[in-house]
Amino acid sequence: MTYQERFVHSRHRHLNVPIEIARTVIAVSEAGSFSKAGEMLSLSQPAVSSQIKRIQSLLGGSLFTRGPSGATPTQLGKLVLNQAHRMVEANDQMVRLGGAVGGPQPIRLGINTLFVRELLRNQSLETLANVVIHAGSSAEICEGLLERYIDIGCFLGEHESDADIATLVVKQWEEQFVWVRSPRFVLSHGLPIPLLTWPGEQLMVAALTKSGAPYRIAFNSPDHHAQLAAAEAGIGLTVIPRRLIPPDLVEAKEYYLPRLPPSKAYLCARTDAGSNQAASFLGTLSPLFSSAAVA
């Protein structure tokens, strides 16, 4: 593949329209309003609006006009609606080729990478036999719940998303994050604190900025286990819930490290993922967080 071909491929690979958004466009057209479409899809009205804004941004025009009679497709909207029906039908036909229709659908679990080890240690292979696990960031898991490609989610709260997932919360609790390091890590006097961070991390940076302590980013990765490996190697410090500190790391209690505030965590489930199998699996997940749960 030439450089130009790679550039064109890279440029267009981000322009895919998720099937969930196609279903939302159809629902808004059929229901005549964003709120009624949300009821049909078990989504909040803000989540429906977010999906429509996303595809409008992608296509560069409005799909619906709002008036006394409700949401009416624009000319562009009518064209998009026609293609959305084709997308959904093609998707459903493709699923039928695998024989999935008529059998139990897999449970789609989204879980923050922080909690993966705990999940796998406490769940049997039999329990996970019909579960598809997506491990990622809290933002990814929250988006997946709202856009309906994740059925059950376990993730850390983010202030801007808390209101959107309020109706999906099954359990919430607080995780007390602490600084961790290798037992052999030593910081020379006067040097900035080397941090092992992840994209969008604010917990460490905000605490150190507030305290006035100097720091530098020594390692950055979206992979939680890569951060822990870097900490075990003695490269720098990172943070983790106190109850999840691995055996090769210790809690760092040095005088120059500020105390970290607790973070909200959630176990959520979509209301339309209400099969007996999903309810049973949710029941096995809930006790994992009983010791930390506050509500």
Side-chain angles (χ1 to χ4, degrees), residues 88-100:
V88 170
E89 180 58 25
N91 175 84
D92 293 347
Q93 287 184 10
M94 191 180 299
V95 171
R96 293 187 192 103
L97 294 176

Side-chain angles (χ1 to χ4, degrees), residues 20-209:
E20 291 79 11
I21 292 184
R23 294 188 192 278
T24 299
V25 171
I26 294 171
V28 171
S29 175
E30 291 178 350
S33 79
F34 285 31
S35 58
K36 290 180 180 178
E39 293 173 5
M40 290 172 57
L41 299 171
S42 296
L43 291 175
S44 66
Q45 191 272 340
V48 171
S49 296
S50 176
Q51 290 192 7
I52 297 301
K53 286 178 182 177
R54 182 175 171 187
I55 189 171
Q56 288 181 159
S57 175
L58 198 64
L59 301 180
S62 297
L63 302 189
F64 298 95
T65 57
R66 297 199 200 187
S69 59
T72 305
T74 61
Q75 285 301 114
L76 175 61
K78 292 177 182 178
L79 295 174
V80 171
L81 188 60
N82 183 42
Q83 297 302 321
H85 279 291
R86 293 185 181 185
M87 284 179 62
V88 170
E89 180 58 25
N91 175 84
D92 293 347
Q93 287 184 10
M94 191 180 299
V95 171
R96 293 187 192 103
L97 294 176
V101 175
Q105 296 297 307
I107 301 164
R108 299 167 296 182
L109 170 68
I111 186 165
N112 185 284
T113 52
L114 279 171
F115 305 125
V116 169
R117 189 180 296 274
E118 184 179 23
L119 170 75
L120 298 179
R121 281 177 176 171
N122 291 279
Q123 297 294 319
S124 68
L125 293 179
E126 182 180 357
T127 304
L128 298 175
N130 196 43
V131 177
V132 177
I133 301 172
H134 173 79
S137 69
S138 293
E140 290 171 336
I141 305 308
C142 184
E143 180 182 7
L145 281 164
L146 295 175
E147 297 198 357
R148 302 179 70 249
Y149 57 82
I150 286 176
D151 301 315
I152 298 173
C154 180
F155 56 99
L156 296 171
E158 299 179 2
H159 295 302
E160 63 272 17
S161 64
D162 286 0
D164 291 338
I165 55 92
T167 60
L168 307 180
V169 175
V170 175
K171 176 174 286 188
Q172 73 178 58
W173 67 98
E174 288 188 345
E175 293 286 357
Q176 181 57 61
F177 276 77
V178 295
W179 299 92
V180 293
R181 60 172 175 79
S182 165
R184 63 178 180 272
F185 173 84
V186 176
L187 180 65
S188 299
H189 180 72
L191 291 181
I193 302 166
L195 301 183
L196 315 175
T197 65
W198 57 90
E201 189 282 321
Q202 288 298 319
L203 189 60
M204 290 183 280
V205 170
L208 290 172
T209 300

